[in-house]
Amino acid sequence: MPAAKQLRRLFNDTTYTMETVLSGIRSTGHLHLGNYFGALKNFVKIQDKYNCYFFIADLHSLTTHPHPDDFHASVKTILAEYLAAGLDPEKATLYIQSDVPEVSELYVLLNMIAYVGELERTVTFKEKVRQNPDNVNAGLLTYPVLMASDILIHRANWVPVGKDQEQHLEMARVYARRFNSMYGVEVFPEAHNLVFTGEAIKVPGLDGTGKMGKSNGNGIYLYDDEKTITKKVMKAVTDSGPTEPNSPMPQVIENLFTLLRLVSDQSTVDYFTEKWNDCSIRYGDLKKQLAQDICKITLPIKEKIDAIYNDDAYLSKVVASGRDRARASASATLTEVRKAIGFRAF
Ligand code: TRP
């Protein structure tokens, strides 16, 4: 039976095997509201319904050569923020990519079936070349191969990714298929994008330029304090206000309402929608309310981040147990991979 089928969840069977969900995040900077509403909040919801692997992609972050003093702190930051937001190390396997050397071994092996031509055509690679022509390293070129290794090492079925990572996920499927057909064994299932329904996933930035992003400088972070959040929200780009009743909203105002829908209750959203429609809206009031409601969600998380970040004993326990579980799963896959390729013991 192919792995994917074997893993498919049988809803009426109490002995079902859960499907595997996997997601990685590079260890750069803090998590923002986009990460929280677009991904993290949903991870928390599904962590006991799937066999989940959530890891910190510290190897991937090396493409930009972080200073050794910052490298560890960045990993620790994301880990503390993941835990504070509600990921439960008892339910999901939380680990650090570089703690699982099997990933790097699979990366070497997959590099043999990844063609330079297809890597050079990757959109993210071409973008990086344009942005940083002085740092076109081989790790950047083979970034999708490392990401495929992350996914295939646990034979994941579902990988929740945003638009910008869809091509990488497609490449992981290409390598899975290529490997299976080259060696004539169904070692890898094909991983698909897990798209969460329900709440709006695209979280806008506050500068009207589109998506909230780490590198866009337009983010509100889970780690921001009340003063910072209020300042950022009050500075959000607006316009001179509606001049006719019921007029369509320009993008920058729509963005504020999108955020409001994510963090505020329905009556608040209705109240300001009405104010917009009858042209009596005061952006200052809207922003004040928005800042308050953001804080209601993020400040308790921030408090937990601080506590967890300073609890080294707890963190090292979480990391060790995640590593052990991840390595067990990874080495089982690698054994199959090595067998398929033709490694034999002497
Ligand atoms: N490339 C992803 C990003 O930049 C991070 C990542 C690394 C990842 N390995 C992964 C995401 C495996 C999903 C699965 O956002």
Side-chain angles (χ1 to χ4, degrees), residues 25 27 29 31 54-56 72-87 89 94-96 305 308-309 314-320:
I25 182 160
S27 43
L31 298 174
F54 300 122
F55 70 96
I56 298 168
H72 174 71
S74 306
V75 172
K76 196 175 162 188
T77 295
I78 299 282
L79 181 64
E81 295 184 354
Y82 258 24
L83 291 164
L87 287 188
L94 306 179
Y95 67 97
I96 296 160
I305 295 172
I308 293 171
Y309 191 90
Y314 172 66
L315 286 175
S316 65
K317 245 180 25 204
V318 168
V319 167

Short mmCIF file of all heavy atoms in Angstrom, two decimals, residues 25 27 29 31 54-56 72-87 89 94-96 305 308-309 314-320:
data_model
loop_
_atom_site.label_atom_id
_atom_site.label_comp_id
_atom_site.label_asym_id
_atom_site.label_seq_id
_atom_site.Cartn_x
_atom_site.Cartn_y
_atom_site.Cartn_z
N ILE A 25 9.59 27.10 10.01
CA ILE A 25 9.72 28.56 9.93
C ILE A 25 11.18 28.92 10.12
O ILE A 25 11.87 28.34 10.96
CB ILE A 25 8.81 29.25 10.98
CG1 ILE A 25 8.91 30.77 10.86
CG2 ILE A 25 9.16 28.80 12.40
CD1 ILE A 25 7.75 31.50 11.47
N SER A 27 14.39 30.92 11.32
CA SER A 27 14.63 31.61 12.58
C SER A 27 15.22 32.99 12.33
O SER A 27 16.40 33.22 12.53
CB SER A 27 15.57 30.78 13.46
OG SER A 27 16.63 30.24 12.69
N GLY A 29 14.04 36.98 13.24
CA GLY A 29 13.08 37.93 13.80
C GLY A 29 12.01 37.32 14.69
O GLY A 29 12.10 36.17 15.10
N LEU A 31 7.75 36.63 15.62
CA LEU A 31 6.51 36.28 14.92
C LEU A 31 5.55 37.47 14.95
O LEU A 31 5.42 38.15 15.96
CB LEU A 31 5.84 35.09 15.61
CG LEU A 31 6.65 33.78 15.60
CD1 LEU A 31 5.94 32.73 16.44
CD2 LEU A 31 6.85 33.29 14.18
N PHE A 54 6.41 20.51 13.81
CA PHE A 54 6.67 21.92 13.61
C PHE A 54 8.12 22.18 14.00
O PHE A 54 8.53 21.83 15.11
CB PHE A 54 5.73 22.78 14.48
CG PHE A 54 4.27 22.55 14.18
CD1 PHE A 54 3.40 22.12 15.17
CD2 PHE A 54 3.77 22.76 12.89
CE1 PHE A 54 2.05 21.91 14.89
CE2 PHE A 54 2.42 22.56 12.60
CZ PHE A 54 1.56 22.12 13.61
N PHE A 55 8.87 22.73 13.06
CA PHE A 55 10.29 22.87 13.36
C PHE A 55 10.82 24.25 12.99
O PHE A 55 10.20 25.00 12.24
CB PHE A 55 11.10 21.79 12.64
CG PHE A 55 11.15 21.98 11.15
CD1 PHE A 55 12.23 22.63 10.57
CD2 PHE A 55 10.12 21.53 10.35
CE1 PHE A 55 12.27 22.84 9.20
CE2 PHE A 55 10.16 21.72 8.98
CZ PHE A 55 11.23 22.38 8.40
N ILE A 56 11.97 24.55 13.55
CA ILE A 56 12.62 25.84 13.28
C ILE A 56 13.75 25.60 12.29
O ILE A 56 14.68 24.83 12.56
CB ILE A 56 13.12 26.44 14.60
CG1 ILE A 56 11.90 26.70 15.49
CG2 ILE A 56 13.90 27.73 14.34
CD1 ILE A 56 12.23 27.03 16.91
N HIS A 72 21.76 31.63 17.78
CA HIS A 72 21.06 30.84 18.79
C HIS A 72 19.87 31.60 19.37
O HIS A 72 18.79 31.03 19.58
CB HIS A 72 22.01 30.43 19.91
CG HIS A 72 21.34 29.74 21.05
ND1 HIS A 72 20.85 28.45 20.94
CD2 HIS A 72 21.03 30.15 22.30
CE1 HIS A 72 20.29 28.11 22.08
NE2 HIS A 72 20.39 29.11 22.92
N ALA A 73 20.07 32.89 19.61
CA ALA A 73 19.00 33.70 20.20
C ALA A 73 17.77 33.71 19.29
O ALA A 73 16.63 33.67 19.77
CB ALA A 73 19.49 35.12 20.44
N SER A 74 17.98 33.72 17.98
CA SER A 74 16.85 33.75 17.05
C SER A 74 16.06 32.45 17.12
O SER A 74 14.83 32.46 17.07
CB SER A 74 17.33 33.92 15.61
OG SER A 74 18.14 35.05 15.51
N VAL A 75 16.78 31.34 17.24
CA VAL A 75 16.11 30.04 17.36
C VAL A 75 15.28 30.00 18.64
O VAL A 75 14.11 29.61 18.66
CB VAL A 75 17.13 28.89 17.35
CG1 VAL A 75 16.47 27.56 17.66
CG2 VAL A 75 17.85 28.82 16.00
N LYS A 76 15.90 30.46 19.71
CA LYS A 76 15.26 30.45 21.02
C LYS A 76 14.01 31.35 21.01
O LYS A 76 12.98 31.00 21.60
CB LYS A 76 16.28 30.94 22.06
CG LYS A 76 15.91 30.63 23.48
CD LYS A 76 17.02 31.03 24.43
CE LYS A 76 16.49 31.13 25.85
NZ LYS A 76 17.46 31.69 26.78
N THR A 77 14.13 32.47 20.34
CA THR A 77 12.99 33.39 20.25
C THR A 77 11.79 32.73 19.60
O THR A 77 10.68 32.75 20.13
CB THR A 77 13.40 34.64 19.42
OG1 THR A 77 14.42 35.33 20.13
CG2 THR A 77 12.23 35.57 19.18
N ILE A 78 12.01 32.14 18.44
CA ILE A 78 10.88 31.52 17.73
C ILE A 78 10.30 30.37 18.55
O ILE A 78 9.09 30.21 18.65
CB ILE A 78 11.32 30.99 16.34
CG1 ILE A 78 11.83 32.14 15.46
CG2 ILE A 78 10.17 30.26 15.66
CD1 ILE A 78 10.77 33.00 14.84
N LEU A 79 11.18 29.61 19.16
CA LEU A 79 10.72 28.47 19.97
C LEU A 79 9.82 28.96 21.12
O LEU A 79 8.71 28.46 21.33
CB LEU A 79 11.91 27.70 20.53
CG LEU A 79 11.58 26.48 21.37
CD1 LEU A 79 10.88 25.41 20.54
CD2 LEU A 79 12.84 25.89 22.00
N ALA A 80 10.29 29.98 21.83
CA ALA A 80 9.52 30.52 22.96
C ALA A 80 8.18 31.09 22.46
O ALA A 80 7.14 30.93 23.11
CB ALA A 80 10.31 31.60 23.67
N GLU A 81 8.20 31.72 21.30
CA GLU A 81 6.99 32.33 20.78
C GLU A 81 6.00 31.26 20.29
O GLU A 81 4.79 31.40 20.46
CB GLU A 81 7.34 33.36 19.70
CG GLU A 81 8.15 34.51 20.30
CD GLU A 81 8.47 35.65 19.35
OE1 GLU A 81 8.17 35.53 18.15
OE2 GLU A 81 9.02 36.67 19.83
N TYR A 82 6.51 30.21 19.69
CA TYR A 82 5.65 29.07 19.30
C TYR A 82 4.94 28.49 20.52
O TYR A 82 3.74 28.25 20.51
CB TYR A 82 6.51 27.98 18.65
CG TYR A 82 6.46 27.92 17.14
CD1 TYR A 82 6.12 29.05 16.38
CD2 TYR A 82 6.75 26.75 16.45
CE1 TYR A 82 6.08 28.98 14.99
CE2 TYR A 82 6.71 26.68 15.06
CZ TYR A 82 6.37 27.80 14.34
OH TYR A 82 6.31 27.73 12.98
N LEU A 83 5.72 28.26 21.57
CA LEU A 83 5.16 27.65 22.78
C LEU A 83 4.16 28.60 23.45
O LEU A 83 3.08 28.18 23.87
CB LEU A 83 6.29 27.30 23.75
CG LEU A 83 7.21 26.15 23.30
CD1 LEU A 83 8.49 26.14 24.12
CD2 LEU A 83 6.50 24.80 23.42
N ALA A 84 4.52 29.87 23.50
CA ALA A 84 3.64 30.85 24.15
C ALA A 84 2.31 30.97 23.42
O ALA A 84 1.27 31.20 24.03
CB ALA A 84 4.33 32.21 24.21
N ALA A 85 2.34 30.79 22.10
CA ALA A 85 1.11 30.91 21.32
C ALA A 85 0.23 29.67 21.43
O ALA A 85 -0.88 29.66 20.92
CB ALA A 85 1.44 31.20 19.86
N GLY A 86 0.74 28.63 22.06
CA GLY A 86 -0.14 27.50 22.33
C GLY A 86 0.27 26.17 21.71
O GLY A 86 -0.46 25.19 21.83
N LEU A 87 1.40 26.12 21.01
CA LEU A 87 1.84 24.81 20.52
C LEU A 87 2.26 23.97 21.72
O LEU A 87 2.96 24.45 22.62
CB LEU A 87 3.00 24.95 19.53
CG LEU A 87 2.62 25.51 18.16
CD1 LEU A 87 3.79 25.43 17.21
CD2 LEU A 87 1.42 24.77 17.57
N PRO A 89 4.14 20.75 23.19
CA PRO A 89 5.16 19.75 22.87
C PRO A 89 4.73 18.32 23.20
O PRO A 89 5.40 17.36 22.80
CB PRO A 89 6.37 20.17 23.71
CG PRO A 89 5.84 21.07 24.76
CD PRO A 89 4.58 21.69 24.23
N LEU A 94 7.95 19.32 18.28
CA LEU A 94 8.60 20.62 18.03
C LEU A 94 10.10 20.40 18.06
O LEU A 94 10.63 19.91 19.04
CB LEU A 94 8.23 21.62 19.13
CG LEU A 94 6.74 21.86 19.41
CD1 LEU A 94 6.59 22.87 20.54
CD2 LEU A 94 6.05 22.35 18.16
N TYR A 95 10.76 20.76 16.98
CA TYR A 95 12.20 20.51 16.99
C TYR A 95 12.97 21.54 16.17
O TYR A 95 12.38 22.36 15.45
CB TYR A 95 12.50 19.10 16.48
CG TYR A 95 12.19 18.86 15.02
CD1 TYR A 95 13.17 18.95 14.05
CD2 TYR A 95 10.89 18.58 14.61
CE1 TYR A 95 12.89 18.74 12.71
CE2 TYR A 95 10.59 18.36 13.28
CZ TYR A 95 11.60 18.45 12.33
OH TYR A 95 11.30 18.25 11.01
N ILE A 96 14.26 21.46 16.31
CA ILE A 96 15.16 22.36 15.59
C ILE A 96 15.80 21.57 14.46
O ILE A 96 16.36 20.48 14.68
CB ILE A 96 16.19 22.95 16.56
CG1 ILE A 96 15.45 23.80 17.60
CG2 ILE A 96 17.22 23.80 15.82
CD1 ILE A 96 16.22 24.05 18.85
N ILE A 305 5.67 34.58 26.56
CA ILE A 305 6.95 34.53 25.84
C ILE A 305 8.09 34.85 26.80
O ILE A 305 9.08 34.14 26.87
CB ILE A 305 6.98 35.55 24.66
CG1 ILE A 305 5.96 35.18 23.58
CG2 ILE A 305 8.40 35.60 24.05
CD1 ILE A 305 5.80 36.22 22.48
N ILE A 308 8.68 31.95 29.23
CA ILE A 308 9.24 30.76 28.61
C ILE A 308 10.68 31.00 28.16
O ILE A 308 11.56 30.16 28.34
CB ILE A 308 8.37 30.30 27.42
CG1 ILE A 308 7.00 29.82 27.93
CG2 ILE A 308 9.05 29.20 26.62
CD1 ILE A 308 5.98 29.54 26.85
N TYR A 309 10.92 32.19 27.59
CA TYR A 309 12.25 32.50 27.08
C TYR A 309 13.31 32.40 28.20
O TYR A 309 14.45 32.02 27.96
CB TYR A 309 12.28 33.90 26.47
CG TYR A 309 13.55 34.20 25.69
CD1 TYR A 309 13.64 33.91 24.34
CD2 TYR A 309 14.67 34.77 26.32
CE1 TYR A 309 14.79 34.16 23.62
CE2 TYR A 309 15.84 35.02 25.61
CZ TYR A 309 15.89 34.72 24.26
OH TYR A 309 17.04 34.96 23.56
N TYR A 314 13.15 24.27 31.03
CA TYR A 314 11.97 23.83 30.29
C TYR A 314 12.29 23.74 28.79
O TYR A 314 11.99 22.74 28.14
CB TYR A 314 10.81 24.80 30.53
CG TYR A 314 9.60 24.55 29.67
CD1 TYR A 314 8.86 23.39 29.80
CD2 TYR A 314 9.19 25.50 28.72
CE1 TYR A 314 7.74 23.15 29.00
CE2 TYR A 314 8.07 25.28 27.92
CZ TYR A 314 7.37 24.10 28.06
OH TYR A 314 6.26 23.88 27.27
N LEU A 315 12.91 24.78 28.26
CA LEU A 315 13.21 24.80 26.82
C LEU A 315 14.10 23.64 26.42
O LEU A 315 13.89 23.02 25.37
CB LEU A 315 13.87 26.14 26.44
CG LEU A 315 12.93 27.34 26.39
CD1 LEU A 315 13.71 28.62 26.11
CD2 LEU A 315 11.83 27.15 25.34
N SER A 316 15.09 23.33 27.25
CA SER A 316 15.99 22.26 26.82
C SER A 316 15.28 20.90 26.90
O SER A 316 15.57 20.01 26.10
CB SER A 316 17.32 22.28 27.58
OG SER A 316 17.11 22.01 28.92
N LYS A 317 14.31 20.78 27.79
CA LYS A 317 13.52 19.54 27.83
C LYS A 317 12.66 19.41 26.57
O LYS A 317 12.58 18.35 25.95
CB LYS A 317 12.61 19.55 29.08
CG LYS A 317 12.99 18.44 30.03
CD LYS A 317 12.21 18.28 31.31
CE LYS A 317 10.80 18.78 31.38
NZ LYS A 317 10.38 19.06 32.78
N VAL A 318 12.03 20.52 26.20
CA VAL A 318 11.19 20.52 24.99
C VAL A 318 12.02 20.16 23.77
O VAL A 318 11.63 19.31 22.95
CB VAL A 318 10.54 21.91 24.79
CG1 VAL A 318 9.90 22.03 23.41
CG2 VAL A 318 9.50 22.18 25.88
N VAL A 319 13.17 20.79 23.66
CA VAL A 319 14.03 20.58 22.49
C VAL A 319 14.53 19.14 22.42
O VAL A 319 14.55 18.52 21.36
CB VAL A 319 15.22 21.58 22.51
CG1 VAL A 319 16.30 21.19 21.51
CG2 VAL A 319 14.71 22.99 22.21
N ALA A 320 14.90 18.59 23.58
CA ALA A 320 15.43 17.22 23.60
C ALA A 320 14.35 16.21 23.21
O ALA A 320 14.61 15.29 22.42
CB ALA A 320 16.00 16.90 24.97
#
